[in-house]
Amino acid sequence: MSGRRISSQPTAANASSAPGSTVRIGVLASVIGFNLRMAQDASFRAFAKHAGLDHLKPGRYAAMTIIRDNPGIAQGEVGRAIGRDKSTVTPLIQDLQRQGFIVREASSTDRRRVTLRLTRAGDAALTSLSRRARDHERKLDAIVGDQKTAFVALLKKIATEIS
Amino acid sequence: MSGRRISSQPTAANASSAPGSTVRIGVLASVIGFNLRMAQDASFRAFAKHAGLDHLKPGRYAAMTIIRDNPGIAQGEVGRAIGRDKSTVTPLIQDLQRQGFIVREASSTDRRRVTLRLTRAGDAALTSLSRRARDHERKLDAIVGDQKTAFVALLKKIATEIS
DNA sequence: TATTGTTATACTCTATAACTATA
DNA sequence: TATAGTTATAGAGTATAACAATA
């Protein structure tokens, strides 16, 4: 571990950057977009590291939760819920099916639709994954503390209102 | 535009999901990790859309800002500042050089190190990109409002403390 | 005509590992 | 031995466009 530390403390107008000194991230320090990215990245990595994603990758968790909570949901609707194109959802769903976690069934009323529901194995896998997700979320809760409600409200607001 | 709306309102114990109804995202609604991802994703897409990233992709902005604020910084240090491996930074830097936005120079004191600084063209490009980034940040500011300080502090805290 | 889902394809971002050169 | 950077390579995730089936 060498090199400079990472800091948002802008040192004075010292011209050139020497090894061992501190990186000035400058205006980036207070930019919401940048910090959003760093936080999401760190959170994602921590989750992936602890969740042992051998046969259940992080994106799957949201999809499976949505399918569990909305049995009979169509693929496209899963995509809209997680903000992904249908062409992104197709392989994801196929993967879950290959692992025996979901069953796909053509809708009887609209044969274009493929309805989804968890199998018992899928439910068990989700339960196990949820346990690890809960550990991760607990860490986040500890970091965010009593501001969680306001914090999550702002994240939601960004997701829906930014354009 | 069809299908159900996305909502966090869990309807009662109605079993099966019908088209046109509302997707229950259930527990996901209050999960920090999920909302972090949705917010970051939406923010990133909006920025990319408006910034006209023809020859200056989003990751570049942070790197160039750091180089501008730390002339003579080494590649590896840029990587640490943005949380990326050196093998990820190399092509990014090469790309910036190919576009004439930065110059690379071997350090005189340690010839392994490649020091970086913006060219005049790079500075101009960064200025122009900054203008668009500022527009984007202004939108985020408007969404976040007077809670910005606390909000950014929490994002930073997540980025540094999650494990 | 519009929508659901699939496929082919391509692009971006990322890391691991092996390497060179320097320290 | 350790570090800075490069390269080869591979994998995740994503989208666009063209398509078939169905509405």
Side-chain angles (χ1 to χ4, degrees):
Chain A
M1 216 48 28
S2 90
R4 54 191 101 192
R5 278 157 301 129
I6 308 300
S7 155
S8 59
Q9 298 298 323
T11 36
N14 68 329
S16 212
S17 203
S21 71
T22 296
V23 170
R24 297 185 283 147
I25 63 169
V27 294
L28 252 31
S30 61
V31 170
I32 292 175
F34 178 73
N35 287 286
L36 207 43
R37 181 167 186 273
M38 297 294 277
Q40 142 68 12
D41 191 56
S43 165
F44 179 87
R45 282 171 203 257
F47 180 65
K49 191 174 101 193
H50 291 295
L53 301 167
D54 309 322
H55 52 247
L56 208 44
K57 293 152 196 169
R60 313 297 194 247
Y61 174 59
M64 287 182 75
T65 301
I66 286 168
I67 294 169
R68 184 197 57 199
D69 292 347
N70 300 272
I73 193 175
Q75 280 189 204
E77 291 168 343
V78 173
R80 280 191 288 277
I82 61 176
R84 294 291 167 266
D85 189 82
K86 57 200 167 97
S87 66
T88 303
V89 175
T90 295
L92 189 162
I93 294 297
Q94 289 174 333
D95 201 51
L96 290 178
Q97 187 186 29
R98 216 175 302 117
Q99 295 179 273
F101 292 158
I102 60 168
V103 282
R104 289 150 36 102
E105 207 177 329
S107 161
S108 50
T109 55
D110 180 346
R111 277 153 56 219
R112 291 171 305 182
R113 293 165 58 90
V114 177
T115 66
L116 310 170
R117 50 192 86 238
L118 290 190
T119 60
R120 209 178 301 177
D123 199 81
L126 180 56
T127 298
S128 143
L129 185 61
S130 293
R131 203 173 302 123
R132 288 172 290 185
R134 199 153 44 238
D135 289 343
H136 180 246
E137 187 65 12
R138 229 179 262 130
K139 287 180 206 163
L140 286 170
D141 282 356
I143 291 170
V144 172
D146 61 6
Q147 302 174 77
K148 175 166 177 174
T149 306
F151 183 64
V152 169
L154 284 179
L155 291 175
K156 268 190 223 298
K157 216 174 159 212
I158 289 172
T160 54
E161 294 182 16
I162 194 73
S163 56
Chain B
M1 214 52 25
S2 91
R4 56 192 101 195
R5 280 158 299 127
I6 307 302
S7 155
S8 58
Q9 299 298 325
T11 36
N14 67 328
S16 212
S17 202
S21 70
T22 296
V23 170
R24 297 184 284 147
I25 63 170
V27 293
L28 251 32
S30 61
V31 170
I32 292 175
F34 178 73
N35 287 287
L36 207 43
R37 180 167 186 275
M38 297 295 277
Q40 142 69 12
D41 191 57
S43 165
F44 179 88
R45 282 171 205 255
F47 179 65
K49 190 173 101 195
H50 291 294
L53 301 167
D54 309 323
H55 52 248
L56 207 45
K57 293 150 195 169
R60 314 298 194 246
Y61 173 61
M64 288 183 74
T65 302
I66 285 167
I67 295 169
R68 186 197 55 199
D69 292 347
N70 301 271
I73 192 174
Q75 279 189 205
E77 292 169 343
V78 172
R80 279 191 287 278
I82 61 176
R84 293 290 168 267
D85 189 83
K86 57 198 167 96
S87 66
T88 302
V89 175
T90 295
L92 189 161
I93 293 297
Q94 288 174 334
D95 201 50
L96 290 177
Q97 188 185 27
R98 215 175 303 118
Q99 295 179 271
F101 292 158
I102 61 170
V103 281
R104 287 151 38 104
E105 206 178 328
S107 161
S108 49
T109 55
D110 180 345
R111 278 154 55 218
R112 290 171 307 181
R113 291 165 59 90
V114 177
T115 67
L116 310 170
R117 51 192 84 240
L118 290 190
T119 59
R120 209 179 300 179
D123 200 81
L126 180 56
T127 298
S128 142
L129 185 61
S130 294
R131 202 172 303 122
R132 286 172 290 185
R134 200 155 41 240
D135 288 345
H136 180 245
E137 188 65 13
R138 228 180 262 129
K139 287 181 206 162
L140 285 171
D141 282 355
I143 291 170
V144 172
D146 61 4
Q147 302 174 76
K148 176 167 178 174
T149 306
F151 183 65
V152 170
L154 283 179
L155 292 175
K156 267 189 223 302
K157 216 173 161 213
I158 290 173
T160 54
E161 294 181 15
I162 194 74
S163 55

PDB file of all heavy atoms in Angstrom, chain B residues 61-89:
ATOM      1  N   TYR B  61     -14.747  11.904 -17.460  1.00  0.00           N
ATOM      2  CA  TYR B  61     -14.926  13.188 -16.785  1.00  0.00           C
ATOM      3  C   TYR B  61     -14.234  13.209 -15.427  1.00  0.00           C
ATOM      4  O   TYR B  61     -13.469  14.135 -15.124  1.00  0.00           O
ATOM      5  CB  TYR B  61     -16.416  13.497 -16.635  1.00  0.00           C
ATOM      6  CG  TYR B  61     -16.702  14.716 -15.809  1.00  0.00           C
ATOM      7  CD1 TYR B  61     -16.226  15.964 -16.202  1.00  0.00           C
ATOM      8  CD2 TYR B  61     -17.427  14.624 -14.618  1.00  0.00           C
ATOM      9  CE1 TYR B  61     -16.471  17.096 -15.428  1.00  0.00           C
ATOM     10  CE2 TYR B  61     -17.678  15.741 -13.854  1.00  0.00           C
ATOM     11  CZ  TYR B  61     -17.202  16.970 -14.262  1.00  0.00           C
ATOM     12  OH  TYR B  61     -17.445  18.083 -13.496  1.00  0.00           O
ATOM     13  N   ALA B  62     -14.475  12.173 -14.651  1.00  0.00           N
ATOM     14  CA  ALA B  62     -13.848  12.114 -13.325  1.00  0.00           C
ATOM     15  C   ALA B  62     -12.330  12.052 -13.451  1.00  0.00           C
ATOM     16  O   ALA B  62     -11.601  12.777 -12.760  1.00  0.00           O
ATOM     17  CB  ALA B  62     -14.363  10.904 -12.549  1.00  0.00           C
ATOM     18  N   ALA B  63     -11.846  11.224 -14.376  1.00  0.00           N
ATOM     19  CA  ALA B  63     -10.398  11.089 -14.544  1.00  0.00           C
ATOM     20  C   ALA B  63      -9.766  12.412 -14.949  1.00  0.00           C
ATOM     21  O   ALA B  63      -8.750  12.837 -14.384  1.00  0.00           O
ATOM     22  CB  ALA B  63     -10.085  10.011 -15.583  1.00  0.00           C
ATOM     23  N   MET B  64     -10.361  13.100 -15.919  1.00  0.00           N
ATOM     24  CA  MET B  64      -9.787  14.364 -16.381  1.00  0.00           C
ATOM     25  C   MET B  64      -9.813  15.428 -15.290  1.00  0.00           C
ATOM     26  O   MET B  64      -8.877  16.225 -15.149  1.00  0.00           O
ATOM     27  CB  MET B  64     -10.524  14.861 -17.620  1.00  0.00           C
ATOM     28  CG  MET B  64     -10.217  14.020 -18.851  1.00  0.00           C
ATOM     29  SD  MET B  64     -11.034  14.657 -20.337  1.00  0.00           S
ATOM     30  CE  MET B  64     -10.038  16.099 -20.688  1.00  0.00           C
ATOM     31  N   THR B  65     -10.892  15.446 -14.534  1.00  0.00           N
ATOM     32  CA  THR B  65     -10.977  16.415 -13.436  1.00  0.00           C
ATOM     33  C   THR B  65      -9.865  16.179 -12.430  1.00  0.00           C
ATOM     34  O   THR B  65      -9.211  17.123 -11.960  1.00  0.00           O
ATOM     35  CB  THR B  65     -12.342  16.303 -12.732  1.00  0.00           C
ATOM     36  OG1 THR B  65     -13.377  16.525 -13.685  1.00  0.00           O
ATOM     37  CG2 THR B  65     -12.468  17.322 -11.613  1.00  0.00           C
ATOM     38  N   ILE B  66      -9.626  14.921 -12.136  1.00  0.00           N
ATOM     39  CA  ILE B  66      -8.577  14.590 -11.171  1.00  0.00           C
ATOM     40  C   ILE B  66      -7.202  14.947 -11.717  1.00  0.00           C
ATOM     41  O   ILE B  66      -6.352  15.452 -10.999  1.00  0.00           O
ATOM     42  CB  ILE B  66      -8.686  13.101 -10.781  1.00  0.00           C
ATOM     43  CG1 ILE B  66      -9.878  12.936  -9.824  1.00  0.00           C
ATOM     44  CG2 ILE B  66      -7.408  12.597 -10.127  1.00  0.00           C
ATOM     45  CD1 ILE B  66     -10.302  11.516  -9.599  1.00  0.00           C
ATOM     46  N   ILE B  67      -6.995  14.711 -12.998  1.00  0.00           N
ATOM     47  CA  ILE B  67      -5.707  15.063 -13.600  1.00  0.00           C
ATOM     48  C   ILE B  67      -5.520  16.586 -13.618  1.00  0.00           C
ATOM     49  O   ILE B  67      -4.454  17.093 -13.308  1.00  0.00           O
ATOM     50  CB  ILE B  67      -5.587  14.479 -15.026  1.00  0.00           C
ATOM     51  CG1 ILE B  67      -5.567  12.951 -14.953  1.00  0.00           C
ATOM     52  CG2 ILE B  67      -4.336  15.002 -15.729  1.00  0.00           C
ATOM     53  CD1 ILE B  67      -5.716  12.256 -16.295  1.00  0.00           C
ATOM     54  N   ARG B  68      -6.592  17.289 -13.938  1.00  0.00           N
ATOM     55  CA  ARG B  68      -6.481  18.747 -13.937  1.00  0.00           C
ATOM     56  C   ARG B  68      -6.126  19.268 -12.545  1.00  0.00           C
ATOM     57  O   ARG B  68      -5.281  20.153 -12.399  1.00  0.00           O
ATOM     58  CB  ARG B  68      -7.803  19.381 -14.386  1.00  0.00           C
ATOM     59  CG  ARG B  68      -7.704  20.905 -14.539  1.00  0.00           C
ATOM     60  CD  ARG B  68      -9.076  21.559 -14.581  1.00  0.00           C
ATOM     61  NE  ARG B  68      -9.874  21.204 -13.406  1.00  0.00           N
ATOM     62  CZ  ARG B  68     -11.195  21.320 -13.326  1.00  0.00           C
ATOM     63  NH1 ARG B  68     -11.873  21.772 -14.365  1.00  0.00           N
ATOM     64  NH2 ARG B  68     -11.831  20.981 -12.222  1.00  0.00           N
ATOM     65  N   ASP B  69      -6.757  18.677 -11.543  1.00  0.00           N
ATOM     66  CA  ASP B  69      -6.534  19.155 -10.184  1.00  0.00           C
ATOM     67  C   ASP B  69      -5.254  18.623  -9.560  1.00  0.00           C
ATOM     68  O   ASP B  69      -4.849  19.083  -8.493  1.00  0.00           O
ATOM     69  CB  ASP B  69      -7.724  18.769  -9.287  1.00  0.00           C
ATOM     70  CG  ASP B  69      -8.988  19.538  -9.669  1.00  0.00           C
ATOM     71  OD1 ASP B  69      -8.878  20.518 -10.433  1.00  0.00           O
ATOM     72  OD2 ASP B  69     -10.084  19.146  -9.213  1.00  0.00           O
ATOM     73  N   ASN B  70      -4.644  17.644 -10.206  1.00  0.00           N
ATOM     74  CA  ASN B  70      -3.416  17.050  -9.677  1.00  0.00           C
ATOM     75  C   ASN B  70      -2.402  16.842 -10.795  1.00  0.00           C
ATOM     76  O   ASN B  70      -2.013  15.708 -11.099  1.00  0.00           O
ATOM     77  CB  ASN B  70      -3.716  15.703  -9.013  1.00  0.00           C
ATOM     78  CG  ASN B  70      -4.712  15.801  -7.880  1.00  0.00           C
ATOM     79  OD1 ASN B  70      -4.346  16.019  -6.739  1.00  0.00           O
ATOM     80  ND2 ASN B  70      -5.991  15.655  -8.210  1.00  0.00           N
ATOM     81  N   PRO B  71      -1.958  17.920 -11.423  1.00  0.00           N
ATOM     82  CA  PRO B  71      -1.021  17.759 -12.538  1.00  0.00           C
ATOM     83  C   PRO B  71       0.212  16.982 -12.094  1.00  0.00           C
ATOM     84  O   PRO B  71       0.747  17.226 -11.017  1.00  0.00           O
ATOM     85  CB  PRO B  71      -0.666  19.204 -12.907  1.00  0.00           C
ATOM     86  CG  PRO B  71      -1.077  20.035 -11.738  1.00  0.00           C
ATOM     87  CD  PRO B  71      -2.214  19.323 -11.089  1.00  0.00           C
ATOM     88  N   GLY B  72       0.614  16.034 -12.909  1.00  0.00           N
ATOM     89  CA  GLY B  72       1.770  15.220 -12.571  1.00  0.00           C
ATOM     90  C   GLY B  72       1.405  13.968 -11.795  1.00  0.00           C
ATOM     91  O   GLY B  72       2.275  13.199 -11.388  1.00  0.00           O
ATOM     92  N   ILE B  73       0.129  13.761 -11.625  1.00  0.00           N
ATOM     93  CA  ILE B  73      -0.328  12.558 -10.913  1.00  0.00           C
ATOM     94  C   ILE B  73       0.040  11.318 -11.731  1.00  0.00           C
ATOM     95  O   ILE B  73       0.127  11.378 -12.960  1.00  0.00           O
ATOM     96  CB  ILE B  73      -1.863  12.635 -10.698  1.00  0.00           C
ATOM     97  CG1 ILE B  73      -2.338  11.574  -9.709  1.00  0.00           C
ATOM     98  CG2 ILE B  73      -2.593  12.499 -12.028  1.00  0.00           C
ATOM     99  CD1 ILE B  73      -3.812  11.694  -9.360  1.00  0.00           C
ATOM    100  N   ALA B  74       0.249  10.193 -11.051  1.00  0.00           N
ATOM    101  CA  ALA B  74       0.566   8.945 -11.745  1.00  0.00           C
ATOM    102  C   ALA B  74      -0.720   8.192 -12.058  1.00  0.00           C
ATOM    103  O   ALA B  74      -1.740   8.384 -11.402  1.00  0.00           O
ATOM    104  CB  ALA B  74       1.482   8.075 -10.899  1.00  0.00           C
ATOM    105  N   GLN B  75      -0.650   7.316 -13.033  1.00  0.00           N
ATOM    106  CA  GLN B  75      -1.831   6.570 -13.459  1.00  0.00           C
ATOM    107  C   GLN B  75      -2.474   5.789 -12.329  1.00  0.00           C
ATOM    108  O   GLN B  75      -3.692   5.803 -12.163  1.00  0.00           O
ATOM    109  CB  GLN B  75      -1.445   5.573 -14.559  1.00  0.00           C
ATOM    110  CG  GLN B  75      -1.355   6.184 -15.904  1.00  0.00           C
ATOM    111  CD  GLN B  75      -1.181   5.152 -17.008  1.00  0.00           C
ATOM    112  OE1 GLN B  75      -0.653   5.466 -18.043  1.00  0.00           O
ATOM    113  NE2 GLN B  75      -1.615   3.923 -16.778  1.00  0.00           N
ATOM    114  N   GLY B  76      -1.635   5.110 -11.598  1.00  0.00           N
ATOM    115  CA  GLY B  76      -2.163   4.263 -10.527  1.00  0.00           C
ATOM    116  C   GLY B  76      -2.940   5.062  -9.503  1.00  0.00           C
ATOM    117  O   GLY B  76      -3.923   4.575  -8.930  1.00  0.00           O
ATOM    118  N   GLU B  77      -2.521   6.279  -9.314  1.00  0.00           N
ATOM    119  CA  GLU B  77      -3.194   7.119  -8.329  1.00  0.00           C
ATOM    120  C   GLU B  77      -4.557   7.565  -8.834  1.00  0.00           C
ATOM    121  O   GLU B  77      -5.498   7.707  -8.046  1.00  0.00           O
ATOM    122  CB  GLU B  77      -2.301   8.303  -7.980  1.00  0.00           C
ATOM    123  CG  GLU B  77      -1.061   7.832  -7.213  1.00  0.00           C
ATOM    124  CD  GLU B  77      -0.003   8.900  -7.072  1.00  0.00           C
ATOM    125  OE1 GLU B  77      -0.037   9.902  -7.819  1.00  0.00           O
ATOM    126  OE2 GLU B  77       0.869   8.734  -6.205  1.00  0.00           O
ATOM    127  N   VAL B  78      -4.641   7.777 -10.123  1.00  0.00           N
ATOM    128  CA  VAL B  78      -5.948   8.077 -10.699  1.00  0.00           C
ATOM    129  C   VAL B  78      -6.879   6.891 -10.451  1.00  0.00           C
ATOM    130  O   VAL B  78      -8.026   7.057 -10.038  1.00  0.00           O
ATOM    131  CB  VAL B  78      -5.841   8.365 -12.221  1.00  0.00           C
ATOM    132  CG1 VAL B  78      -7.215   8.491 -12.847  1.00  0.00           C
ATOM    133  CG2 VAL B  78      -5.016   9.615 -12.468  1.00  0.00           C
ATOM    134  N   GLY B  79      -6.337   5.707 -10.683  1.00  0.00           N
ATOM    135  CA  GLY B  79      -7.129   4.504 -10.458  1.00  0.00           C
ATOM    136  C   GLY B  79      -7.633   4.401  -9.034  1.00  0.00           C
ATOM    137  O   GLY B  79      -8.795   4.098  -8.801  1.00  0.00           O
ATOM    138  N   ARG B  80      -6.765   4.663  -8.089  1.00  0.00           N
ATOM    139  CA  ARG B  80      -7.195   4.579  -6.699  1.00  0.00           C
ATOM    140  C   ARG B  80      -8.257   5.624  -6.387  1.00  0.00           C
ATOM    141  O   ARG B  80      -9.192   5.362  -5.629  1.00  0.00           O
ATOM    142  CB  ARG B  80      -5.994   4.725  -5.760  1.00  0.00           C
ATOM    143  CG  ARG B  80      -5.202   3.420  -5.608  1.00  0.00           C
ATOM    144  CD  ARG B  80      -4.188   3.495  -4.472  1.00  0.00           C
ATOM    145  NE  ARG B  80      -3.042   4.343  -4.789  1.00  0.00           N
ATOM    146  CZ  ARG B  80      -1.996   3.947  -5.504  1.00  0.00           C
ATOM    147  NH1 ARG B  80      -1.947   2.720  -5.985  1.00  0.00           N
ATOM    148  NH2 ARG B  80      -0.995   4.768  -5.746  1.00  0.00           N
ATOM    149  N   ALA B  81      -8.108   6.792  -6.983  1.00  0.00           N
ATOM    150  CA  ALA B  81      -9.070   7.860  -6.701  1.00  0.00           C
ATOM    151  C   ALA B  81     -10.464   7.522  -7.225  1.00  0.00           C
ATOM    152  O   ALA B  81     -11.469   7.899  -6.631  1.00  0.00           O
ATOM    153  CB  ALA B  81      -8.585   9.178  -7.297  1.00  0.00           C
ATOM    154  N   ILE B  82     -10.516   6.830  -8.356  1.00  0.00           N
ATOM    155  CA  ILE B  82     -11.830   6.494  -8.897  1.00  0.00           C
ATOM    156  C   ILE B  82     -12.202   5.039  -8.612  1.00  0.00           C
ATOM    157  O   ILE B  82     -13.230   4.548  -9.088  1.00  0.00           O
ATOM    158  CB  ILE B  82     -11.925   6.785 -10.413  1.00  0.00           C
ATOM    159  CG1 ILE B  82     -10.906   5.963 -11.210  1.00  0.00           C
ATOM    160  CG2 ILE B  82     -11.719   8.272 -10.691  1.00  0.00           C
ATOM    161  CD1 ILE B  82     -11.008   6.132 -12.718  1.00  0.00           C
ATOM    162  N   GLY B  83     -11.369   4.345  -7.848  1.00  0.00           N
ATOM    163  CA  GLY B  83     -11.683   2.987  -7.444  1.00  0.00           C
ATOM    164  C   GLY B  83     -11.639   1.969  -8.563  1.00  0.00           C
ATOM    165  O   GLY B  83     -12.485   1.089  -8.645  1.00  0.00           O
ATOM    166  N   ARG B  84     -10.625   2.087  -9.441  1.00  0.00           N
ATOM    167  CA  ARG B  84     -10.520   1.141 -10.537  1.00  0.00           C
ATOM    168  C   ARG B  84      -9.128   0.545 -10.590  1.00  0.00           C
ATOM    169  O   ARG B  84      -8.146   1.183 -10.239  1.00  0.00           O
ATOM    170  CB  ARG B  84     -10.805   1.844 -11.881  1.00  0.00           C
ATOM    171  CG  ARG B  84     -12.235   2.319 -12.046  1.00  0.00           C
ATOM    172  CD  ARG B  84     -13.205   1.168 -12.207  1.00  0.00           C
ATOM    173  NE  ARG B  84     -14.595   1.618 -12.079  1.00  0.00           N
ATOM    174  CZ  ARG B  84     -15.277   1.599 -10.935  1.00  0.00           C
ATOM    175  NH1 ARG B  84     -14.727   1.147  -9.828  1.00  0.00           N
ATOM    176  NH2 ARG B  84     -16.525   2.020 -10.897  1.00  0.00           N
ATOM    177  N   ASP B  85      -9.036  -0.670 -11.082  1.00  0.00           N
ATOM    178  CA  ASP B  85      -7.761  -1.350 -11.219  1.00  0.00           C
ATOM    179  C   ASP B  85      -6.896  -0.650 -12.269  1.00  0.00           C
ATOM    180  O   ASP B  85      -7.407  -0.034 -13.196  1.00  0.00           O
ATOM    181  CB  ASP B  85      -8.017  -2.802 -11.628  1.00  0.00           C
ATOM    182  CG  ASP B  85      -6.751  -3.631 -11.580  1.00  0.00           C
ATOM    183  OD1 ASP B  85      -6.404  -4.096 -10.488  1.00  0.00           O
ATOM    184  OD2 ASP B  85      -6.091  -3.782 -12.628  1.00  0.00           O
ATOM    185  N   LYS B  86      -5.578  -0.799 -12.120  1.00  0.00           N
ATOM    186  CA  LYS B  86      -4.653  -0.176 -13.072  1.00  0.00           C
ATOM    187  C   LYS B  86      -4.877  -0.679 -14.489  1.00  0.00           C
ATOM    188  O   LYS B  86      -4.716   0.068 -15.459  1.00  0.00           O
ATOM    189  CB  LYS B  86      -3.205  -0.408 -12.638  1.00  0.00           C
ATOM    190  CG  LYS B  86      -2.816  -1.866 -12.481  1.00  0.00           C
ATOM    191  CD  LYS B  86      -1.535  -2.029 -11.632  1.00  0.00           C
ATOM    192  CE  LYS B  86      -1.298  -3.451 -11.189  1.00  0.00           C
ATOM    193  NZ  LYS B  86      -0.374  -4.219 -12.062  1.00  0.00           N
ATOM    194  N   SER B  87      -5.288  -1.938 -14.620  1.00  0.00           N
ATOM    195  CA  SER B  87      -5.527  -2.476 -15.964  1.00  0.00           C
ATOM    196  C   SER B  87      -6.773  -1.862 -16.594  1.00  0.00           C
ATOM    197  O   SER B  87      -6.965  -1.942 -17.808  1.00  0.00           O
ATOM    198  CB  SER B  87      -5.669  -3.992 -15.908  1.00  0.00           C
ATOM    199  OG  SER B  87      -6.833  -4.363 -15.198  1.00  0.00           O
ATOM    200  N   THR B  88      -7.599  -1.266 -15.767  1.00  0.00           N
ATOM    201  CA  THR B  88      -8.770  -0.562 -16.287  1.00  0.00           C
ATOM    202  C   THR B  88      -8.383   0.860 -16.670  1.00  0.00           C
ATOM    203  O   THR B  88      -8.928   1.424 -17.621  1.00  0.00           O
ATOM    204  CB  THR B  88      -9.877  -0.510 -15.212  1.00  0.00           C
ATOM    205  OG1 THR B  88     -10.211  -1.835 -14.823  1.00  0.00           O
ATOM    206  CG2 THR B  88     -11.130   0.182 -15.734  1.00  0.00           C
ATOM    207  N   VAL B  89      -7.423   1.404 -15.934  1.00  0.00           N
ATOM    208  CA  VAL B  89      -7.021   2.786 -16.157  1.00  0.00           C
ATOM    209  C   VAL B  89      -6.183   2.928 -17.431  1.00  0.00           C
ATOM    210  O   VAL B  89      -6.330   3.899 -18.177  1.00  0.00           O
ATOM    211  CB  VAL B  89      -6.245   3.327 -14.928  1.00  0.00           C
ATOM    212  CG1 VAL B  89      -5.720   4.730 -15.193  1.00  0.00           C
ATOM    213  CG2 VAL B  89      -7.147   3.317 -13.700  1.00  0.00           C
TER     214      VAL B  89
END
